[in-house]
Each structure stands twice: as C-alpha cells, then as structure tokens.
C-alpha cells in the first residue's frame, strides 16, 4: 500500500533515501508519493557511538538502509548479533521488542525496525546499569558491527 509522507528539512540537513545521501541548502519540504526507505540525519548512528549491544544492532540495520551495496553483509551481521542477543537476554520486554524488530527486518521495514530498536534503548540502559560490574557488561557486549 502506497502512502504520501511529507518531511520538512532545515538548511544543511541530510536525509538518506534508498542509499543516496541528500543534503539540502535551504529549508525545504519533501513529499514522498510512494514507499521509500529513508533515514533522517539525526537518527544516523556513527560507528564510534555503537557502544552497546542494541546500538551495535542498530548500526548493522542502519547500514542495510544507508549502504545498499553492503546490505547483504550487514544483514548477515545483524542476524548473528540478533541470535546472540536472543540467546543471552532474559528480559521479556527486550526479547519481545527484538522479535518485533526481526519481523520488521524480514518484511524489509528497516526504518520501522530502527524506530523499535531506539525505543528499546532505555530498557537496555536499565539492564546494563543493573548488570553491575564491567565484567558482567562485557559478557553482554557484542563484537563490533559491520563497517567499524
């Protein structure tokens, strides 16, 4: 189903659209008349900021959208990370959220999957805070995502 979506950008904002990076030089509104995969600049996670398991998962999913040429490799890394998270986490809220993320990624709803991952950050922070020692947190940590 196709829907219309209107986005307003300020001067020098970037938007990632189907793998292309677009920067606007003045305030502008974009109206998408068909389905499109996009990511706003303020939702782009830099590699050095992927410091927690969910942020690393986000980074891998983000690369599927931003860099279509490496999407298959990013999807493979995402699958590995997700499997590890599902195996070690016991928090039902996080598990349910990650299963929802996986369903969205499987349906190629990458932008929606990123929104769900961002919504899980507070739960992850709570888990990491309650983990206590750095050794316990290190056990939860994942290998670096693709592109790092």
């Amino acid at each position: 189903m196709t829907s219309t979506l209107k986005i307003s950008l300020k001067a020098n904002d970037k938007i990632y659209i189907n793998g292309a990076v677009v920067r606007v030089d003045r305030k502008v509104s974009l109206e998408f008349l068909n389905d499109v995969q996009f990511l706003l600049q303020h939702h782009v996670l830099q590699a050095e900021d992927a410091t927690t398991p969910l942020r690393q998962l986000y980074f891998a999913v983000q690369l599927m959208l931003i860099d279509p040429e490496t999407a298959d490799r990013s999807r493979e890394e995402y699958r590995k990370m997700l499997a590890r998270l599902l195996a070690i986490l016991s928090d039902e809220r996080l598990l349910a959220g990650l299963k929802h993320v996986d369903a969205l990624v499987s349906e190629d709803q990458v932008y929606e999957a990123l929104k769900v991952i961002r919504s899980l950050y507070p739960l992850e922070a709570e888990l990491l805070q309650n983990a206590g020692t750095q050794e316990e947190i290190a056990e939860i940590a994942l290998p670096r995502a693709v592109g790092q």
Side-chain angles (χ1 to χ4, degrees), residues 4-132:
T4 301
L5 175 65
K6 189 172 185 177
I7 297 176
S8 295
L9 301 170
K10 298 177 288 188
N12 294 317
D13 277 353
K14 289 182 196 173
I15 185 170
Y16 300 79
I17 307 169
N18 290 345
V21 180
V22 177
R23 182 186 357 231
V24 298
D25 63 355
R26 64 190 68 119
K27 185 177 178 181
V28 65
S29 292
L30 301 174
E31 188 172 3
F32 297 109
L33 302 175
N34 61 347
D35 291 333
V36 63
Q37 295 281 338
F38 71 94
L39 191 58
L40 298 171
Q41 178 180 355
H42 65 275
H43 288 144
V44 174
L45 184 68
Q46 299 303 314
E48 59 271 11
D49 296 325
T51 57
T52 68
L54 282 185
R55 289 178 192 273
Q56 291 172 7
L57 188 71
Y58 184 97
F59 190 80
V61 174
Q62 164 188 287
L63 286 178
M64 291 179 213
L65 191 141
I66 289 178
D67 191 0
E69 290 181 13
T70 64
D72 289 340
R73 194 172 79 198
S74 298
R75 190 174 298 272
E76 183 180 318
E77 285 299 314
Y78 156 79
R79 294 269 174 232
K80 290 177 189 175
M81 290 178 189
L82 180 67
R84 181 158 179 202
L85 280 172
L86 292 174
I88 64 173
L89 291 173
S90 59
D91 185 286
E92 291 300 323
R93 300 167 299 169
L94 276 173
L95 290 170
L98 289 173
K99 288 175 184 175
H100 183 69
V101 165
D102 196 36
L104 290 169
V105 169
S106 296
E107 296 167 3
D108 206 28
Q109 296 292 321
V110 176
Y111 180 77
E112 292 300 319
L114 291 171
K115 283 180 19 180
V116 173
I117 295 171
R118 283 193 309 269
S119 76
L120 297 173
Y121 286 170
L123 293 174
E124 179 188 45
E126 180 183 314
L127 175 71
L128 291 175
Q129 184 178 16
N130 292 337

